[in-house]
């Protein structure tokens, strides 16, 4: 019952998280489009009011006329529209999901018992939880310091972007060395998503508040606040596509159970940013297909990289006749069915994870390819909770159904 209620809470939180993220990212994409589509006002009197760009649009049966002020309007309306809750809700619900899903079961969701790093492979549950939180926090601190030091007055944008790209490759590498594959992808996405929300929380909104305050006091707002808000919001734009992919990667074990998963992850991060760049440029009236072409090329490289290699059966097993269905099912019953059953006996599971059930040999047969893949890659049993031996893995790899 308890596991069932947890599952239900998980589903509701995920629902909220996805909706909030759609609203936030949708708005962010809209404002980038708006900013890049602005044209100088046609009307002299509009220009005199301090408007530097405008956009006409038709949507939902009505006509809209957006205007952007070079600095600020003469008087501020009392009903100024602010946006921040979409961002905060996305982060808070995402963090709650992480706690509920990963931090309540760190032993098999966070720890990678096959890690090349001894200390990471032998972390206890709470050590893994603390490491994950520190990882998230450090990601933001390093990114934020980089922005402040490389670009204190919002100049050298190119160098800063390059530094952020290198940082993301480092995050991808470190996460895959320290954590289990699935958590590594999620945490890398979460480092970016945390930077996005923290940019809104620590810089963009406080900067806008200072600008409004200055105007109310009849002073000129500090232009650095506006520039910084813009710089951080441009970073957010390039983070969006990679973050969404990394969050979805959870469903695709071929991505995160690969030995070079950090390279695959990095390729996707750059591909996402390049594809986003195409749309950013397109809204200012230029079509530059080289960007998405480069993005697609990177995706193709990762298709090639992540392709499963042939089953690595040991000579001893390969030389003999392959195992029978019943022999394989006996192994699966011992090592997998605690979780993958219509009625799991493993505490914390109320239903078969990923809908995969191995109660009968027939059910195993229908999922033979996938089963071999997750067993040979070492992804299953999760955290090797059930102590599957290498010989058993080799036997399943050599199985010709
Ligand atoms: C401790 C519980 C547990 C054990 C034991 C376990 N699994 Fe899983 N398995 C899970 C969970 C949780 C998921 C869902 C993870 C996900 O969404 O990637 C999963 C997912 C899967 C999937 C779907 C993966 C995908 O990419 O969709 C397959 C196939 C699978 N397991 C096979 C096995 C096999 C074969 C064994 C035994 C060798 C095994 N599992 C042992 C918990 C377990």
């Amino acid at each position: 019952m308890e596991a069932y209620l947890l599952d239900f809470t998980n589903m509701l939180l995920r629902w909220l998280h996805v909706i909030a993220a759609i609203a936030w990212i949708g708005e962010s994409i809209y404002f980038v489009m708006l900013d890049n589509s602005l044209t100088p006002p046609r009307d002299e009197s509009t220009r005199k009011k301090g408007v530097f760009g405008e956009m006409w649009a038709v949507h939902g049966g009505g006509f809209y006329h957006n205007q952007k002020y070079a600095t600020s309007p003469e008087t501020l309306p009392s009903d100024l529209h602010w946006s921040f809750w979409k961002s905060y809700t996305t982060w808070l619900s995402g963090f709650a999901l992480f706690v509920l899903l990963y931090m309540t079961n760190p032993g098999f969701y966070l720890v990678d018992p096959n890690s090349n790093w001894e200390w990471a492979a032998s972390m206890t549950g709470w050590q893994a939880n603390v490491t994950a939180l520190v990882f998230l926090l450090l990601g933001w601190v390093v990114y934020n310091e980089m922005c402040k030091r490389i670009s204190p007055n919002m100049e050298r944008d190119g160098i800063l972007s390059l530094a952020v790209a290198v940082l993301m490759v480092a995050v991808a590498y470190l996460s895959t060395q320290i954590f289990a594959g699935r958590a590594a992808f999620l945490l890398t996405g979460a480092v970016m998503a945390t930077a996005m929300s923290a940019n809104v929380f620590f810089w963009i909104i406080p900067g806008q508040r200072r600008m409004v305050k200055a105007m109310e006091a009849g002073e000129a707002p500090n232009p650095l606040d506006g520039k910084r808000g813009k710089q951080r919001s441009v970073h957010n734009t390039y983070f969006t596509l990679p973050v969404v992919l990394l969050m979805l990667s959870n469903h695709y074990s071929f991505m995160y159970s690969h030995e070079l998963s950090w390279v695959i992850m990095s390729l996707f991060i750059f591909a996402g940013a390049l594809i986003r760049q195409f749309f950013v440029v397109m809204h200012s009236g230029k079509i530059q297909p080289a960007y998405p072409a480069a993005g697609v090329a990177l995706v193709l490289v990762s298709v090639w990289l992540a392709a499963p290699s042939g089953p690595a059966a040991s000579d001893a097993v390969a030389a003999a006749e392959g195992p029978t269905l019943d022999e394989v099912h006996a192994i699966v019953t011992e090592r997998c069915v605690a979780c993958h059953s219509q009625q799991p006996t493993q505490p914390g599971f109320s239903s078969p994870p990923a809908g995969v059930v191995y109660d009968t040999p027939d059910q195993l047969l229908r999922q033979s390819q996938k089963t071999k893949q997750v067993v040979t890659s070492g992804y299953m049993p999760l955290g090797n909770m059930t102590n599957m031996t290498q010989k058993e893995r080799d036997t399943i790899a050599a199985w010709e159904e």
Side-chain angles (χ1 to χ4, degrees):
M1 189 64 190
E2 196 192 331
Y4 164 73
L5 289 179
L6 274 179
D7 271 358
F8 216 102
T9 314
N10 170 350
M11 186 194 72
L12 292 178
L13 265 176
R14 196 177 290 244
W15 195 22
L16 172 67
H17 183 59
V18 172
I19 292 170
I22 289 174
W24 177 24
I25 293 179
E27 191 177 64
S28 147
I29 287 178
Y30 172 76
F31 270 100
V32 172
M33 182 278 288
L34 174 60
D35 226 32
N36 291 339
S37 305
L38 294 173
T39 51
R42 289 153 225 190
D43 193 46
E44 183 64 29
S45 64
T46 314
R47 230 170 299 156
K48 283 216 176 96
K49 278 195 298 180
V51 173
F52 106 106
E54 61 183 1
M55 185 188 83
W56 283 91
V58 57
H59 189 89
F63 295 91
Y64 296 78
H65 186 194
N66 280 305
Q67 298 185 322
K68 182 173 180 177
Y69 285 78
T71 48
S72 50
E74 256 165 43
T75 49
L76 265 185
S78 57
D79 55 353
L80 195 56
H81 183 93
W82 291 78
S83 333
F84 43 82
W85 272 113
K86 298 181 191 82
S87 163
Y88 303 164
T89 308
T90 307
W91 191 86
L92 290 171
S93 55
F95 187 72
L97 263 178
F98 182 71
V99 172
L100 188 75
L101 258 154
Y102 286 78
M103 294 182 67
T104 53
N105 267 326
F108 47 78
Y109 284 136
L110 288 177
V111 180
D112 175 8
N114 300 321
S115 170
N116 296 327
W117 296 359
E118 189 79 35
W119 66 269
S122 58
M123 282 190 291
T124 63
W126 72 265
Q127 284 171 337
N129 280 347
V130 172
T131 309
L133 293 180
V134 169
F135 193 82
L136 270 185
L137 185 71
L138 270 184
W140 159 248
V141 170
V142 173
Y143 160 77
N144 192 40
E145 283 304 312
M146 257 159 90
C147 294
K148 288 200 308 203
R149 279 159 206 252
I150 297 178
S151 180
N153 297 309
M154 314 313 130
E155 71 292 52
R156 294 196 289 185
D157 269 332
I159 297 179
L160 178 57
S161 312
L162 204 68
V164 173
V166 172
L167 172 67
M168 286 326 303
V169 174
V171 171
Y173 177 74
L174 290 174
S175 67
T176 52
Q177 303 307 305
I178 301 173
F179 302 103
R182 197 163 167 252
F185 273 60
L186 193 86
L187 278 168
T188 303
V191 163
M192 283 194 228
T194 300
M196 288 169 72
S197 270
N199 276 339
V200 176
F201 185 79
F202 291 111
W203 293 110
I204 299 174
I205 294 296
Q208 286 171 359
R209 288 202 200 284
R210 280 192 294 272
M211 290 166 79
V212 167
K213 219 167 172 184
M215 286 166 62
E216 281 167 353
E219 297 157 8
N222 180 352
L224 271 188
D225 275 329
K227 280 194 196 166
R228 187 183 295 108
K230 180 71 196 165
Q231 183 183 64
R232 297 295 177 106
S233 114
V234 166
H235 290 175
N236 283 4
T237 297
Y238 293 104
F239 284 150
T240 44
L241 265 54
V243 167
V244 172
L245 191 271
L246 292 178
M247 297 296 160
L248 295 178
S249 68
N250 268 261
H251 303 287
Y252 305 99
S253 57
F254 59 83
M255 283 182 77
Y256 55 77
S257 53
H258 195 277
E259 210 180 328
L260 286 177
S261 59
W262 68 275
V263 179
I264 296 173
M265 187 159 28
S266 306
L267 288 170
F268 269 98
I269 292 174
F270 293 132
L274 283 165
I275 292 168
R276 184 75 191 100
Q277 171 71 356
F278 171 74
F279 290 98
V280 170
V281 173
M282 184 188 84
H283 292 307
S284 51
K286 284 170 271 179
I287 299 287
Q288 297 188 332
Y291 287 116
V296 170
L298 294 185
V299 172
L300 289 178
V301 173
S302 65
V303 171
W304 170 75
L305 246 183
S309 45
S314 76
D315 292 345
V317 178
E321 257 312 76
T324 63
L325 173 60
D326 283 337
E327 279 163 357
V328 175
H329 188 247
I331 299 175
V332 167
T333 303
E334 189 176 349
R335 308 296 183 193
C336 322
V337 168
C339 299
H340 291 289
S341 162
Q342 211 51 52
Q343 262 107 33
T345 49
Q346 178 75 28
F349 289 88
S350 70
S351 56
V356 174
V357 177
Y358 292 126
D359 289 327
T360 67
D362 193 43
Q363 287 165 333
L364 169 63
L365 192 58
R366 267 184 277 139
Q367 309 180 77
S368 56
Q369 287 306 322
K370 195 152 207 181
T371 306
K372 284 207 246 182
Q373 191 214 325
V374 296
V375 169
T376 49
S377 70
Y379 173 50
M380 286 289 147
L382 218 50
N384 204 8
M385 285 278 291
T386 48
N387 304 315
M388 185 170 215
T389 64
Q390 187 56 45
K391 186 154 181 295
E392 287 166 337
R393 288 189 202 277
D394 292 345
T395 305
I396 294 185
W399 173 37
E400 282 168 25
E401 58 283 13

